[in-house]
Amino acid sequence: MSFFKGIEAKVSKGLKHARAEVIGRHDEPEEIAQDEVRAQIRAGHRFDSFAGERGGNDVKWHIDGHDYMWALSEMLENAKEAIFILDWWLTPELYLRRPPAYHPEWRLDRILKRKAEQGVKIHVVVYKEVTQTMAMSSKHTKNTLDKLHPNITCMRHPDHIGAKDSVEFWSHHEKVVVVDNHFAAIGGLDLCFGRWDTHTHPLADVHPTDFARTLFPGQDYNNARVLDFKEVYNYASNTLSILETARMPWHDVHMTLVGPVVLDIVQHFVERWNEIKKRKYRYDERFAWLSLPHDVEAAPNEAVARHPHLQRWREIGHQYHQRWNRNFSSRDTAEEQEQDAGYPIPQPGSCNVQVVRSVSDWSHGVLTEHSIQNASTQDGDQVTNRIAGALVDRIIRAFNEGSKFKVIVCIPEVPGFAGDVKTEGSLKTIMAAQYRSINRGGASIYEKLREKGIEPLDYIRFYHLRAYDRINAPWDSFISKMEENSGVKFHEAQVALARQWIGQDPASTQKEVTLAMPEPTTEAIVQSEKTPIKTETVRILESAEEARETVRRFEGGAEGLRGDQEVSDTVAQHMLGDRTELGDEKWFGTEEEELNAYVSELLYIHSKVMIVDDDKVIMGSANINDRSQKGDGDSEICLVVEDNDKIDSFMDGQPYRAGRFAATLRRKLFREHLGLIPPQVVTDGNPRVTSFMRPAPHHNEDETGLEQDALVADPLNDDTVLLFQKTAIENRKIFTEIFRPVPTNLVRSWAAYDNYVPKVKTGHVVPGVDLQRLKDRLAGVRGALVECPLDFLIDEKDFVTGPEWRGLNPTLPIYI
């Protein structure tokens, strides 16, 4: 992502400007009184949050976009009165069910239009990006949604330097959906391009003879490590060649829930909506004021009964129904009875849930709240979160007590935006910041532990995820001949397919697409301006019918050549518990073509989740960095979930009563990362809808009796710990031999970096590896887990102790 490019020069000015704006508010007597009421409410709650703990909630987890987005499609389709969406990036053209060829009605904009036509009111808030540095095009999002139906209203916020109310560097980062004040979804998944993925995490999506099997049309096929999204309003315009470039797979987690805690999520949304209404849309009648949904007469002890705007918003705002703290009686109107009929209050759920958040004046119109991480400290202008310090303290305690204690941290192998690690400043800074937290720089976790005579690896280890695949694109022996027979180039068919399924913005003036063709590079898994890009320009067809005919003609080019049905379009399933082996995969092209078809890419970890003792979970949108944690940076929201439904388990070999929500989530994540789950194959319009694809209150299937689940049931068991560590180490060895990705322990200096990176197309096999060796080695990959290379660039002292780390770099806040 290109957020940081070109922004450094503005940072000092922008930060001073933002501070000046805040100083100008919260100084009137009425504002001071309101802030005092909010402070009193927060003081009465755990973590100093605006919301307290609530019992009786049904909460379920969803791993990866395939399961969550199917569940969300059901939630949205069942909406009867109102939908609230709060998102960092929202793509109207996103398909929630796939392949798109079989699910045209499940595109997000079509679902919302369908519900709006049925009378459902839809309120959307999206982050308004810095257009010079970011590519989400919230303008396109707003324009598209506004045109769908008058019942859909979309706000963009914040405005930037030069506007009345400006913020240059922080973003609205929440990912929230609420339906009818009754059902909600919170987690790490934005409703945008690049997020939908399966447990299999394919890197390839080429289907030469059956384009209907395509999962990632247009710009949804993305690798932000190679090229960032560009002009996403031209959504048919995928600038990557899918014939040669792997997509970057996406790992994430999300929750759906039903229960009284939904009221607190709605409160967060209503406060945000009304604050933006006041600042930007005060006189625009299309945007209604909203009322808090709570019935304080029925529940007078609710903290919200003291909310400083409760009465005023009730007078001027639209109030949607809620069914969690109402007095139900025979005197309810017929309309109210009809409304409630579709929402029977379920049996009380087993989860205690608390909403926590990071908000401040710029984002929410309130004084700073950092209840997500209420352990931050300020030293001058340098704000640092204390999560790493808390981990050190807990490990020291375990060491002194002689008790077993383990911390497992999974983070992205490399930050998820384009550039060369050596020359791209933002990449280098973020990676250096991570290593300064882990094991170098003077105050890291590992260094603090070693000062106490503790070996860190006995207690805390860091991991990444990485995947491989084979692109079904034998060029000389098949694809090029299909082009000759059909008179249609493959990339023309690729763009035509995107035009057919995703369409083209009527306001767009784009007539053609220029695709980047990968060239051999010296930059390992990345590519920058140092590597010249070969391009191919393709015309965008004007009509969907013309696009369909173009795809049909190309597919027909296979006639008289050979069939393609026996060749797998992805082999990533062999990283999981597939019934066949990689060596069984057929290939009808040449050996050289098959060797060139294998690719590897990091599996991007976007999830924001912490699981403690198989009992407590915090999940949402917040990263473990200052931007997310300190409150006056990015706005964030998370849920703290504790399940009273206990299951029999083990902890360090002893019987243990674990919370079902936490334990089953942790076990399923372990099993996916270790390859102990079956592949999730999506090929046609008749999927098997599993319990994991249904929204709450539909419960996830109980898998605690599976043999594979037993292997990871006890996170402190020596066999479990050894399985995790050995799998990560072996996978790392295999990927290093076949693809030579960075970071790696083999590169301890920049000189070694230059000698190490292979001169191949991005993500392709290194020279000197033959096909049989490749298959033999990749057949040994189990899951996507790889160890974090702790010695990467460890001999480059300036990497983590240069001038920028001694308070001389004013841009640091935007990175960390």
Side-chain angles (χ1 to χ4, degrees):
M1 299 176 188
S2 58
F3 173 79
F4 302 112
K5 291 184 181 295
I7 202 172
E8 287 89 343
K10 304 178 183 178
V11 173
S12 296
K13 177 182 177 182
L15 291 176
K16 293 176 182 176
H17 180 85
R19 291 193 190 100
E21 287 187 331
V22 175
I23 292 171
R25 290 196 279 262
H26 300 275
D27 56 357
E28 296 293 331
E30 182 180 10
E31 294 173 323
I32 294 172
Q34 292 171 354
D35 292 336
E36 179 60 30
V37 170
R38 292 191 187 94
Q40 291 172 2
I41 291 174
R42 292 202 310 272
H45 295 151
R46 184 178 63 163
F47 305 132
D48 201 32
S49 172
F50 79 104
E53 301 169 76
R54 290 186 187 267
N57 301 281
D58 251 317
V59 189
K60 69 180 294 185
W61 45 260
H62 305 273
I63 297 175
D64 296 321
H66 172 279
D67 288 2
Y68 165 61
M69 291 185 188
W70 188 289
L72 180 64
S73 71
E74 286 193 16
M75 277 179 55
L76 296 175
E77 187 65 19
N78 291 329
K80 294 180 175 61
E81 186 182 18
I83 296 171
F84 300 152
I85 299 176
L86 187 60
D87 216 341
W88 179 75
W89 178 14
L90 185 148
T91 303
E93 301 78 22
L94 179 73
Y95 282 90
L96 301 185
R97 300 185 183 185
R98 307 199 186 188
Y102 297 96
H103 301 289
E105 72 274 26
W106 295 106
R107 204 172 79 173
L108 182 57
D109 56 349
R110 293 169 184 166
I111 300 172
L112 297 181
K113 185 175 188 292
R114 184 160 66 242
K115 301 314 296 183
E117 290 171 345
Q118 295 169 8
V120 176
K121 297 296 180 65
I122 300 168
H123 303 276
V124 181
V125 178
V126 293
Y127 166 55
K128 182 179 179 181
E129 76 283 9
V130 182
T131 56
Q132 295 91 335
T133 61
M134 306 179 83
M136 296 106 73
S137 189
S138 62
K139 180 179 180 181
H140 164 71
T141 300
K142 176 174 172 55
N143 289 344
T144 300
L145 295 182
D146 284 349
K147 292 174 183 177
L148 292 177
H149 195 277
N151 281 341
I152 302 175
T153 48
C154 178
M155 293 179 172
R156 295 197 300 158
H157 185 263
D159 291 331
H160 302 290
I161 296 296
K164 175 184 176 183
D165 215 23
S166 62
V167 177
E168 182 74 31
F169 313 111
W170 315 128
S171 67
H172 289 305
H173 199 235
E174 301 100 321
K175 302 94 169 60
V176 178
V177 179
V178 180
V179 172
D180 294 343
N181 287 340
H182 204 77
F183 307 95
I186 281 182
L189 280 157
D190 294 286
L191 298 177
C192 66
F193 286 151
R195 298 332 191 234
W196 188 95
D197 210 341
T198 68
H199 303 328
T200 306
H201 298 296
L203 311 187
D205 197 29
V206 176
H207 314 270
T209 61
D210 188 3
F211 276 48
R213 296 163 67 96
T214 299
L215 297 178
F216 307 96
Q219 292 218 31
D220 212 357
Y221 188 100
N222 174 257
N223 189 329
R225 294 285 303 118
V226 177
L227 287 172
D228 196 5
F229 290 100
K230 293 183 179 180
E231 300 176 340
V232 295
Y233 48 86
N234 293 319
Y235 26 84
S237 174
N238 182 358
T239 54
L240 288 178
S241 168
I242 67 174
L243 291 175
E244 299 180 274
T245 305
R247 61 178 289 271
M248 185 179 76
W250 198 270
H251 174 69
D252 224 323
V253 291
H254 218 89
M255 296 172 285
T256 57
L257 60 143
V258 57
V261 75
V262 172
L263 291 176
D264 299 326
I265 300 169
V266 173
Q267 178 182 336
H268 179 78
F269 181 89
V270 169
E271 289 173 344
R272 175 71 50 77
W273 179 271
N274 285 348
E275 183 65 21
I276 300 174
K277 162 77 173 172
K278 181 180 72 174
R279 296 187 189 187
K280 287 192 63 176
Y281 305 97
R282 180 188 293 266
Y283 303 110
D284 192 332
E285 294 183 356
R286 294 175 300 167
F287 299 90
W289 295 97
L290 297 181
S291 173
L292 293 167
H294 309 68
D295 186 343
V296 295
E297 286 76 22
N301 294 325
E302 287 268 347
V304 76
R306 293 180 286 157
H307 194 288
H309 299 304
L310 174 69
Q311 189 57 40
R312 179 57 178 161
W313 289 351
R314 178 176 291 184
E315 292 170 358
I316 66 174
H318 184 88
Q319 184 168 24
Y320 294 106
H321 291 79
Q322 60 87 12
R323 299 151 189 90
W324 299 115
N325 56 17
R326 272 189 50 208
N327 282 322
F328 294 88
S329 74
S330 59
R331 295 190 298 274
D332 286 349
T333 66
E335 180 184 358
E336 288 172 329
Q337 291 176 358
E338 182 180 352
Q339 283 280 345
D340 295 333
Y343 296 89
I345 301 298
Q347 291 295 318
S350 60
C351 291
N352 295 335
V353 184
Q354 183 179 13
V355 183
V356 290
R357 64 188 185 182
S358 290
V359 292
S360 63
D361 181 78
W362 86 259
S363 61
H364 216 73
V366 300
L367 295 180
T368 300
E369 176 184 337
H370 43 70
S371 53
I372 291 177
Q373 189 269 126
N374 203 15
S376 61
T377 185
Q378 186 166 344
D379 180 13
D381 286 338
Q382 296 295 314
V383 180
T384 56
N385 73 70
R386 295 171 59 186
I387 292 175
L391 289 172
V392 169
D393 292 343
R394 182 60 183 88
I395 292 170
I396 292 174
R397 188 180 117 200
F399 176 79
N400 291 335
E401 294 173 349
S403 59
K404 187 178 286 187
F405 181 73
K406 301 288 184 183
V407 180
I408 292 174
V409 183
C410 295
I411 55 177
E413 194 173 49
V414 179
F417 44 89
D420 175 21
V421 173
K422 184 175 181 179
T423 59
E424 174 55 48
S426 54
L427 272 172
K428 194 189 306 184
T429 299
I430 293 172
M431 292 187 71
Q434 290 183 167
Y435 280 114
R436 281 172 58 89
S437 297
I438 297 171
N439 71 332
R440 62 191 88 163
S444 67
I445 293 172
Y446 282 29
E447 289 168 302
K448 289 296 182 183
L449 291 175
R450 287 184 172 128
E451 287 176 5
K452 299 292 184 180
I454 301 171
E455 173 48 52
L457 292 174
D458 292 341
Y459 294 92
I460 179 169
R461 290 177 181 251
F462 292 79
Y463 298 91
H464 309 307
L465 300 178
R466 172 162 284 275
Y468 75 84
D469 207 342
R470 186 186 71 181
I471 301 174
N472 183 16
W475 176 256
D476 289 333
S477 67
F478 192 47
I479 303 291
S480 64
K481 290 182 171 56
M482 289 182 67
E483 289 188 344
E484 293 173 9
N485 287 355
S486 66
V488 176
K489 291 186 176 181
F490 176 87
H491 289 125
E492 290 175 335
Q494 175 189 336
V495 172
L497 185 78
R499 171 66 182 87
Q500 174 185 336
W501 287 349
I502 303 181
Q504 184 73 355
D505 191 331
S508 172
T509 59
Q510 186 182 23
K511 302 299 183 184
E512 57 188 27
V513 178
T514 299
L515 297 100
M517 318 296 288
E519 290 291 297
T521 174
T522 60
E523 303 164 65
I525 61 168
V526 297
Q527 188 167 299
S528 72
E529 289 107 1
K530 292 195 304 183
T531 299
I533 297 178
K534 178 183 175 183
T535 62
E536 180 179 327
T537 299
V538 176
R539 182 173 66 94
I540 297 178
L541 302 174
E542 294 185 4
S543 71
E545 182 57 41
E546 189 179 3
R548 277 191 290 272
E549 175 60 20
T550 298
V551 172
R552 188 198 63 76
R553 284 173 53 205
F554 180 81
E555 291 174 336
E559 294 179 11
L561 295 177
R562 62 170 172 82
D564 194 52
Q565 291 77 16
E566 296 181 67
V567 179
S568 296
D569 294 326
T570 175
V571 298
Q573 66 271 17
H574 297 294
M575 298 173 62
L576 302 178
D578 195 37
R579 290 175 295 180
T580 63
E581 300 294 334
L582 179 62
D584 299 331
E585 292 290 350
K586 294 186 177 181
W587 181 265
F588 296 149
T590 67
E591 284 195 6
E592 182 182 5
E593 287 175 327
E594 185 175 13
L595 185 65
N596 292 335
Y598 277 91
V599 289
S600 178
E601 184 53 88
L602 66 87
L603 202 176
Y604 193 74
I605 302 170
H606 191 255
S607 50
K608 298 92 169 57
V609 59
M610 180 170 67
I611 306 168
V612 178
D613 294 340
D614 276 3
D615 194 56
K616 301 176 179 67
V617 175
I618 181 168
M619 185 193 302
S621 65
N623 295 299
I624 302 181
N625 59 16
D626 285 355
R627 287 183 64 100
S628 289
Q629 298 289 333
K630 63 181 184 155
D632 62 353
D634 294 344
S635 63
E636 310 280 8
I637 190 168
C638 294
L639 300 184
V640 181
V641 182
E642 301 173 59
D643 198 343
N644 293 314
D645 179 9
K646 304 300 182 182
I647 62 173
D648 291 328
S649 187
F650 290 91
M651 189 69 71
D652 194 18
Q654 300 301 311
Y656 182 78
R657 296 285 284 169
R660 180 178 295 277
F661 181 87
T664 56
L665 171 61
R666 198 268 308 159
R667 293 182 188 186
K668 189 65 173 275
L669 289 171
F670 269 35
R671 285 162 49 209
E672 178 176 336
H673 300 339
L674 294 170
L676 298 174
I677 62 172
Q680 190 171 44
V681 180
V682 180
T683 57
D684 56 33
N686 298 300
R688 185 175 73 89
V689 180
T690 70
S691 61
F692 303 101
M693 299 160 62
R694 305 294 308 283
H698 301 281
H699 293 167
N700 285 334
E701 178 184 350
D702 186 349
E703 296 183 326
T704 57
L706 295 178
E707 178 183 352
Q708 295 87 347
D709 202 67
L711 293 174
V712 297
D714 185 343
L716 291 183
N717 179 275
D718 289 343
D719 290 339
T720 305
V721 172
L722 188 61
L723 174 65
F724 209 85
Q725 293 175 0
K726 287 183 65 176
T727 301
I729 291 170
E730 182 60 22
N731 285 348
R732 172 61 75 186
K733 288 179 179 177
I734 296 170
F735 282 118
T736 298
E737 176 185 343
I738 304 301
F739 297 104
R740 234 186 282 167
V742 291
T744 172
N745 285 331
L746 300 178
V747 171
R748 298 172 63 95
S749 67
W750 288 125
Y753 178 92
D754 293 335
N755 293 327
Y756 170 85
V757 292
K759 297 175 174 61
V760 297
K761 295 177 181 179
T762 302
H764 283 249
V765 178
V766 300
V769 176
D770 64 50
L771 184 61
Q772 190 58 52
R773 177 63 177 176
L774 174 144
K775 290 184 177 182
D776 290 344
R777 293 296 280 147
L778 291 183
V781 172
R782 289 292 175 263
L785 192 71
V786 293
E787 65 171 349
C788 171
L790 297 175
D791 290 341
F792 179 62
L793 296 178
I794 200 164
D795 293 339
E796 292 287 343
K797 302 306 179 185
D798 282 350
F799 182 51
V800 294
T801 59
E804 63 268 31
W805 300 108
R806 296 195 293 270
L808 302 180
N809 183 358
T811 70
L812 276 181
I814 69 171
Y815 297 117
I816 61 175

